[in-house]
Amino acid sequence: VYLATFSNELVVYGIGKWAPTPVITPASGEYRLSNGPVVVTMTVPGAPAGTVIRYTLDGTEPLVTSTAYTTPISLRESSIVKAKAFVPNFNASGVAVARYLIDDGPGNGDGLSGFYFNNIDLNGTPVTRIDPIINFLGIGGQIPIPGVGPDWWSARWTGKVLPRASGNYTFTTGSDDGIRLWVDGKLLVDNWTYHGYTENSGTIYLKQGVKYDIRLEFFEGLGGADCALFWQSDFFGRQIVPQSQLFS
């Protein structure tokens, strides 16, 4: 306990009892729709009399006015479950969080269509191939594809990206040199300059099961060369965008 005074007012910190934090089961993770709904339960170990668990399914923090937990919850779509315990004459508990990615599993993508140009302007007749992922780090001095490079070249990748859950997705590029990224027609990254390895990010809301247009452009000047495409969402941490979710 400590005291502080502000404008002749006495403020006391550190006094009071806190309600125990709820426990949400099952644990966060990936679950398949084919196995049926995810049945979520909530408990408060050693719950004082009058304890009420309140929860949300959209990732927002529960309030005293949020839905009260009374029976198990069946989830058939990806959800971020948060819960708090409220007890008379107690401070509200900490927030319990469980993240459920519920779908039919990873997609069956083949990657993105790659168009490689022997100049930095994306001009002329390209050399083409399908790249399963965009993860070209530390390729300075290497020929990315026969007939192109190793310096003063550019590339464009196009196709579709399929999110596994609805929510905000942050796309991050790692590049040396210039990079531009569009998702669903929106310019998320625009760093069309000469630079050493640099990461740039942009965020966009995507819906589960919808394939969105994606276009990535890159140029390499002289020396070091890097080009990689990452993403992350509320349901998983940063990772290279996997082949399963990219379609040429």
Side-chain angles (χ1 to χ4, degrees):
V1 177
Y2 64 94
L3 306 178
T5 58
F6 300 95
S7 302
N8 299 319
E9 295 181 6
L10 180 66
V11 181
V12 182
Y13 297 94
I15 289 179
K17 297 180 293 184
W18 298 85
T21 300
V23 175
I24 303 174
T25 55
S28 299
E30 295 186 15
Y31 295 85
R32 299 290 173 263
L33 282 171
S34 58
N35 295 328
V38 177
V39 179
V40 177
T41 61
M42 304 177 191
T43 58
V44 177
T51 297
V52 176
I53 301 173
R54 298 190 180 273
Y55 69 92
T56 61
L57 303 178
D58 60 1
T60 57
E61 183 166 334
L63 305 174
V64 69
T65 54
S66 298
T67 303
Y69 174 80
T70 55
T71 60
I73 305 161
S74 293
L75 298 178
R76 298 180 182 274
E77 62 181 17
S78 298
S79 303
I80 301 172
V81 179
K82 291 189 176 182
K84 291 176 72 172
F86 294 86
V87 184
N89 302 316
F90 283 66
N91 293 305
S93 74
V95 180
V97 182
R99 303 171 189 270
Y100 303 109
L101 198 166
I102 305 169
D103 67 356
D104 294 318
N108 60 351
D110 59 344
L112 296 178
S113 297
F115 304 86
Y116 292 80
F117 303 84
N118 212 14
N119 57 71
I120 64 170
D121 303 313
L122 300 164
N123 287 328
T125 302
V127 180
T128 63
R129 72 179 181 191
I130 294 177
D131 287 307
I133 58 175
I134 309 302
N135 187 19
F136 306 106
L137 297 176
I139 61 171
Q142 300 179 34
I143 297 174
I145 190 170
V148 176
D151 294 311
W152 309 111
W153 59 276
S154 56
R156 176 184 292 120
W157 293 275
T158 63
K160 303 281 187 179
V161 60
L162 176 65
R164 293 185 58 189
S166 297
N168 290 317
Y169 284 74
T170 297
F171 288 82
T172 299
T173 58
S175 68
D176 174 358
D177 290 289
I179 196 84
R180 293 188 290 231
L181 172 67
W182 292 261
V183 177
D184 193 29
K186 298 177 177 62
L187 182 61
L188 298 186
V189 170
D190 186 8
N191 190 0
W192 203 247
T193 66
Y194 293 98
H195 53 258
Y197 182 79
T198 302
E199 294 191 348
N200 299 99
S201 298
T203 300
I204 186 172
Y205 183 87
L206 302 177
K207 293 183 178 180
Q208 180 175 353
V210 177
K211 291 180 180 177
Y212 292 89
D213 290 334
I214 184 169
R215 181 166 103 239
L216 179 68
E217 295 179 347
F218 168 78
F219 81 81
E220 153 61 4
L222 184 66
D226 300 282
C227 184
L229 180 62
F230 307 88
W231 70 349
Q232 65 188 76
S233 79
D234 294 329
F235 297 93
F236 56 82
R238 175 169 137 157
Q239 60 184 234
I240 291 290
V241 182
Q243 175 183 341
S244 62
Q245 307 310 119
L246 297 173
F247 299 79
S248 63

